Amino acid sequence: MASGEEDTFYTVGLPASTSVFTVQEENTDLTSRLEENCGLLEFADLSVEAVQRRPTCSRCSRPQKVCLCSFLPVQPLNISTCLYIVQHPAEESRVLRTVPLLAACLPPDKCKVLIGRRFNETRYLELAEVCRSPNTLILYPGAEAANLEELTLDPSLASYNLIIIDGTWSQAKDMFYRNDIFRLPKQILHATICKAGDVAHHFKCHVH
């Protein structure tokens, strides 16, 4: 190299315009980020305790601390009506749901709970047959519904079946219109309680 010429330093593998100081700063920043990540990896070795659900009562399905079995009848109530409760799946996950309380008060053959959104005739043969029976009523506040307090029952029928849709108003409405078999029975409502707007609550407050 001729004397007097300005020396030029090049970094291997980098453009000539990249200074050594710039590379050093980038390396320092990379080292800092690696150290931070290594610190986070230490937390991955920590043991995580599984979250345990509160113990629930096998009869009323409520948390044991708020069990209501002491308020329920010791023996199932003797009723002639058979209840078919079609329950929206979202209701099943609610902690303070009331259907288990109702089921705990009645004989197993008088209270049948079916969970789902769709109930076709092929899969639910018994429910479809019940819906076609002349002694079946469905609790739903439709335009054709009769007031339960003013309903005249047929004395020739030994007993009745009652279908209840358990869910919020929007859920019950969707289930009613998407299942043709639910539009076969006579519709009934309780005019006073129905103002609450919840079909499931409507029924639960009425049955005693």
Side-chain angles (χ1 to χ4, degrees), residues 1-10:
M1 180 180 296
S3 61
E5 292 183 359
E6 183 178 356
D7 294 339
T8 303
F9 295 92
Y10 297 97

Side-chain angles (χ1 to χ4, degrees), residues 149-165:
E149 295 180 340
E150 301 173 355
L151 185 65
T152 302
L153 300 179
D154 188 345
S156 64
L157 299 175
S159 62
Y160 276 82
N161 301 310
L162 182 60
I163 299 175
I164 306 103
I165 303 177

Side-chain angles (χ1 to χ4, degrees), residues 3 10 31 47 51 59 63 88 100 108-109 111 134 150 159 165 171 177 185 191 202:
S3 61
Y10 297 97
T31 302
S47 60
V51 179
R59 186 185 181 200
H88 190 279
D109 62 331
C111 184
E150 301 173 355
S159 62
I165 303 177
Q171 292 169 349
Y177 282 104
H202 162 181

Side-chain angles (χ1 to χ4, degrees), residues 81-115:
T81 303
C82 184
L83 307 181
Y84 287 83
I85 302 176
V86 287
Q87 187 180 72
H88 190 279
E91 290 292 312
E92 187 184 14
S93 60
R94 293 177 59 179
V95 177
L96 301 180
R97 59 193 188 277
T98 52
V99 166
L101 294 176
L102 178 62
C105 297
L106 302 176
D109 62 331
K110 294 296 183 181
C111 184
K112 303 180 181 182
V113 182
L114 304 174
I115 301 172

Side-chain angles (χ1 to χ4, degrees), residues 91 98-99 139 164-169 172 197-205:
E91 290 292 312
T98 52
V99 166
L139 193 61
I164 306 103
I165 303 177
D166 183 27
T168 63
W169 169 239
D198 187 302
V199 175
H201 175 73
H202 162 181
F203 164 72
K204 296 165 193 170
C205 290

